[in-house]
Amino acid sequence: MESCARGTCSSALQSSPASIFTMLIQTLIASRCQLSNTNKYPTSNEEKILNSKMEFDFVIVGGGSAGSVLARRLTEVEDWNVLLIERGVDPLPETIPPGLYNNNLGGPQDYYYTLEPQESSCLSNKDKRCVWSRGKALGGSSVINGMIHIFGNRRDFDGWASQGNPGWNFEEVLPYFRKSISCSPEYIAENGDKYCGTDGPLRVRYYNYTVTDFEDVVLEAAREAGHPILKAVNGDRYLGFGRVLGTLDEGRRQTCSKAFLTPVRDRKNLYVITSTRANKILFEGKRAVGVQITLSNNETAEVRATKEVILSTGTMVSPQLLMLSGIGPKEHLKKLGIPVLVDLPVGKNLQDHVIWFGLYYSFVNESVTSAPSEKDQLDSAYEYLEFNTGPLSTLANDLVAFINPVDPKSIYPEVQLLFSQIQRYDKNGLKTLLHSYNANDEILQIMTDVIMKRSLIIAYASLMRPLSRGVIELRNADPAEQVKIYSNYYTVPDDWKRLAKAVPTLKSLLNTTILQKYKANFHTYDVPQCRNLTADTEEYYECNIRHTTGTNFHACCTNRMGPANDSRTVVDARLRVHGVTNLRVIDASIMPNITSANINAPTIMIAEKGADLIKQDWGIQV
């Protein structure tokens, strides 16, 4: 970092324009260099590790949210040597500013999975395919996600425990949520510490979005319309509108690699290899003993684990590695010529928070007369690089609502509402947003015509507890190939019907003083294929929902946790893979059912708890 220092900036404070210009250039270079400083992450030890032929106590495959947590916690035991394998590299500087969230989707650190086309959904997406973003970097999806940090609710985790998973009810997992995070003293003073830790590695803060006031407007409209207002979204109440906490601090994204790995990067028992793909798990009989890997130079090697191999490669890759290693559905593996080690329902039970993105409010806004100029963007970049403030320092997605339009008597949510603003004339902002959902050119042009006339608040309705179940399958036996993903969105019709019930809640905000002041109107996207249907009918909403399909990027549950006598499960309550030894899966794929909120916080919790389970099983007191 010293090489990035600004030098003797005080000497540049002279009247000479050339000197001032030089100082400006030094400032920008130093700030950019600070963002891209790789010294804060563990050094990749590829050459040293492979030349020494050393064995490890634990080999963790996947350096994402869960893997970063595990590497930190397991290396707390000084006698344990731990190897962390990550296919990506260190986070790129453009992933650090929260305001560039949408720009990073589909970028160089996004796997950008393309789903298989299905006639039940994604019909107004390019090639009728939805896309799922997943982080390809040390820190995984925490490098490119929306940073929302929500636990879920009591029913979610009590439900896990009731399915034969002792130790996973809400009261038992809550300490692990708290363990990983550190909330601000101001937040603790106002809300207490029941749901917030004070000394965890991961800082979570309010987004402090102040560039426009649209979220204040929506929140005030909700209050006026009589909807509950949540003082804290992670709390005892689960229904209402409120501002969430996010994994960001002082204008910068807090990735799991930065929070959990950076402080311990010099531990002598932590070894890291990046730019390395795992191909399959190595077994002696049914005991996992290591992993076959392909290095950045395309050479193949093996790394050995004397205690355990741990898969933390996420919902798509963890089942892929299991199946490539002979653990999976027998008929599917035989079809691909893969010898079957254990017949398990790997890749099944796929769940996600599907989104209906075809909803918006339009506003009369005479103050907006042109799109953001190149000068505006350069000013924003300078303000961020120099002061960590301005539009790039935060992200306008901290206002959420949890509603239950299905059962008014329930205290638990069925639908999550999210909001984002697109100012009049901002065609680039609209294009970036719709790109994240892979919307086709026809929809983009329709909404571009709209944005040239009015400012918009886009509303998204996300189904919290879908009944539809998808599946992940191998495309072939090549580990370099991405898996086939069948989301099966809306194959159970009740799913789209429950989403459609969110419309009255969104319309209820229109009859408020504050939205009437802005002459607000509520709309659905003008999908050409739905124009012949009567508006506001069930038939019309089904058409619109099936066309404007997106995702909250919350895919999970493909290695379901549960007892061995349950034929639907892959791992037990201690996250050990059924039918083999010394192999665990610790990531979002082990969830029996998706939680009723964003899943990054639960994924971190699973890793925190998983680390303690490992320590207990190897005789370490926790």
Side-chain angles (χ1 to χ4, degrees):
M1 185 58 202
E2 293 303 319
S3 63
C4 300
R6 296 177 183 178
T8 56
C9 289
S10 58
S11 65
L13 292 173
Q14 306 168 20
S15 58
S16 166
S19 297
I20 294 174
F21 180 75
T22 299
M23 183 180 70
L24 171 62
I25 297 301
Q26 287 176 334
T27 297
L28 294 176
I29 291 174
S31 299
R32 169 59 165 76
C33 196
Q34 186 181 18
L35 286 181
S36 59
N37 175 24
T38 59
N39 293 334
K40 58 190 174 188
Y41 301 110
T43 302
S44 183
N45 308 110
E46 174 183 315
E47 186 174 343
K48 175 183 176 182
I49 291 167
L50 297 177
N51 288 342
S52 67
K53 303 292 184 183
M54 67 184 300
E55 291 186 335
F56 302 90
D57 295 283
F58 297 90
V59 173
I60 304 168
V61 185
S65 295
S68 296
V69 175
L70 287 166
R72 179 184 178 119
R73 297 307 186 191
L74 295 184
T75 54
E76 290 172 350
V77 181
E78 294 182 1
D79 292 337
W80 287 353
N81 286 329
V82 177
L83 173 64
L84 180 66
I85 302 169
E86 168 56 40
R87 189 170 183 178
V89 294
D90 296 336
L92 294 171
E94 56 264 37
T95 66
I96 305 303
L100 293 180
Y101 160 65
N102 277 323
N103 301 73
N104 286 306
L105 300 180
Q109 293 201 312
D110 183 359
Y111 282 105
Y112 209 62
Y113 287 91
T114 302
L115 277 59
E116 299 303 302
Q118 297 182 271
E119 287 303 316
S120 62
S121 61
C122 309
L123 301 182
S124 284
N125 300 44
K126 292 178 182 177
D127 300 321
K128 295 185 179 181
R129 293 172 178 251
C130 280
V131 293
W132 284 357
S133 290
R134 280 295 180 278
K136 185 181 180 182
L138 198 63
S141 293
S142 72
V143 173
I144 62 169
N145 67 6
M147 296 166 285
I148 290 178
H149 198 81
I150 310 179
F151 296 173
N153 62 55
R154 181 178 295 274
R155 180 176 64 177
D156 294 331
F157 304 103
D158 288 353
W160 290 8
S162 70
Q163 296 175 56
N165 295 299
W168 290 92
N169 70 36
F170 183 70
E171 293 299 332
E172 290 167 308
V173 301
L174 181 57
Y176 290 106
F177 278 111
R178 295 180 67 256
K179 180 180 182 179
S180 63
I181 61 175
S182 173
C183 296
S184 67
E186 296 80 12
Y187 184 90
I188 296 292
E190 183 178 0
N191 299 288
D193 62 0
K194 180 179 178 182
Y195 297 98
C196 229
T198 57
D199 57 359
L202 182 63
R203 291 189 175 188
V204 293
R205 300 289 187 266
Y206 280 123
Y207 285 55
N208 293 321
Y209 190 80
T210 57
V211 180
T212 67
D213 62 354
F214 94 87
E215 293 197 321
D216 292 332
V217 169
V218 175
L219 198 58
E220 178 55 36
R223 183 181 287 107
E224 188 180 340
H227 297 291
I229 304 300
L230 298 176
K231 183 180 177 183
V233 174
N234 288 329
D236 294 318
R237 298 166 60 213
Y238 305 122
L239 294 177
F241 287 68
R243 292 183 181 276
V244 298
L245 295 174
T247 52
L248 70 171
D249 184 40
E250 297 181 348
R252 300 200 173 190
R253 174 189 292 272
Q254 297 291 296
T255 67
C256 285
S257 49
K258 179 179 179 181
F260 290 92
L261 295 180
T262 294
V264 301
R265 63 186 181 275
D266 295 325
R267 281 184 179 168
K268 297 188 184 305
N269 60 341
L270 172 62
Y271 299 84
V272 176
I273 303 178
T274 56
S275 300
T276 298
R277 184 187 73 236
N279 298 326
K280 64 179 180 179
I281 305 153
L282 303 173
F283 286 94
E284 291 179 357
K286 290 191 175 182
R287 177 176 178 267
V289 296
V291 179
Q292 184 196 79
I293 59 177
T294 295
L295 306 167
S296 57
N297 61 3
N298 288 323
E299 288 186 12
T300 300
E302 294 182 357
V303 289
R304 310 285 286 188
T306 59
K307 287 185 168 63
E308 293 188 23
V309 173
I310 305 165
L311 298 187
S312 295
T313 43
T315 298
M316 275 70 85
V317 180
S318 285
Q320 180 182 25
L321 284 172
L322 288 174
M323 289 189 281
L324 290 170
S325 308
I327 301 173
K330 178 173 58 177
E331 294 305 317
H332 180 52
L333 299 186
K334 284 184 175 180
K335 190 182 298 184
L336 296 175
I338 299 172
V340 179
L341 185 64
V342 185
D343 180 16
L344 290 175
V346 171
K348 301 183 185 296
N349 193 44
L350 174 63
Q351 299 170 46
D352 181 35
H353 288 144
V354 65
I355 276 184
W356 179 16
F357 67 81
L359 307 162
Y360 67 96
Y361 299 95
S362 66
F363 290 79
V364 173
N365 191 344
E366 300 299 335
S367 64
V368 178
T369 58
S370 63
S373 66
E374 186 174 293
K375 179 181 180 300
D376 294 331
Q377 296 175 55
L378 289 173
D379 287 345
S380 295
Y382 173 75
E383 183 179 0
Y384 183 77
L385 288 171
E386 176 63 353
F387 304 111
N388 278 349
T389 58
L392 295 181
S393 68
T394 187
L395 178 65
N397 74 340
D398 68 319
L399 176 62
V400 303
F402 288 102
I403 63 174
N404 192 331
V406 180
D407 180 6
K409 295 181 180 179
S410 176
I411 64 170
Y412 296 107
E414 293 293 334
V415 174
Q416 181 187 37
L417 302 176
L418 302 101
F419 307 88
S420 63
Q421 184 182 42
I422 305 291
Q423 292 277 20
R424 186 180 181 186
Y425 303 116
D426 188 6
K427 293 189 291 185
N428 287 333
L430 176 70
K431 183 177 181 179
T432 300
L433 175 67
L434 291 180
H435 168 72
S436 68
Y437 293 123
N438 204 36
N440 64 27
D441 292 340
E442 186 176 45
I443 289 295
L444 175 60
Q445 184 58 56
I446 289 168
M447 292 309 297
T448 299
D449 293 342
V450 172
I451 202 69
M452 296 306 290
K453 301 171 184 175
R454 297 285 182 95
S455 292
L456 308 181
I457 292 179
I458 309 294
Y460 316 86
S462 179
L463 189 62
M464 291 293 94
R465 299 202 306 155
L467 299 176
S468 303
R469 297 289 183 268
V471 63
I472 283 175
E473 296 179 345
L474 294 177
R475 196 169 299 278
N476 50 46
D478 183 355
E481 289 278 355
Q482 289 191 348
V483 292
K484 296 168 94 173
I485 303 171
Y486 297 92
S487 68
N488 292 342
Y489 290 145
Y490 309 130
T491 49
V492 178
D494 188 63
D495 284 351
W496 70 258
K497 291 179 180 179
R498 283 184 290 157
L499 268 187
K501 291 180 184 295
V503 171
T505 298
L506 291 166
K507 286 186 174 181
S508 72
L509 304 189
L510 293 174
N511 302 318
T512 59
T513 304
I514 190 164
L515 287 198
Q516 289 176 355
K517 170 186 171 184
Y518 290 97
K519 300 179 182 178
N521 289 294
F522 177 77
H523 311 265
T524 55
Y525 281 25
D526 180 24
V527 177
Q529 294 81 0
C530 306
R531 286 173 182 164
N532 64 328
L533 302 174
T534 304
D536 290 328
T537 62
E538 191 173 78
E539 186 182 20
Y540 172 80
Y541 286 131
E542 178 182 6
C543 180
N544 198 285
I545 288 171
R546 291 191 187 279
H547 277 82
T548 56
T549 309
T551 171
N552 236 337
F553 307 111
H554 296 166
C556 64
C557 309
T558 49
N559 291 311
R560 181 177 186 151
M561 175 173 62
N565 59 8
D566 183 341
S567 61
R568 303 170 299 171
T569 68
V570 176
V571 301
D572 66 14
R574 302 190 76 79
L575 310 183
R576 299 170 298 198
V577 176
H578 296 315
V580 296
T581 61
N582 293 34
L583 177 63
R584 296 190 208 232
V585 180
I586 303 181
D587 56 33
S589 72
I590 65 92
M591 295 181 182
N593 293 104
I594 196 167
T595 56
S596 303
N598 305 60
I599 70 167
N600 191 238
T603 301
I604 294 169
M605 175 277 290
I606 289 167
E608 289 279 20
K609 182 173 175 64
D612 272 5
L613 293 175
I614 292 170
K615 289 176 181 178
Q616 291 167 359
D617 288 349
W618 291 95
I620 305 296
Q621 284 201 334
V622 297

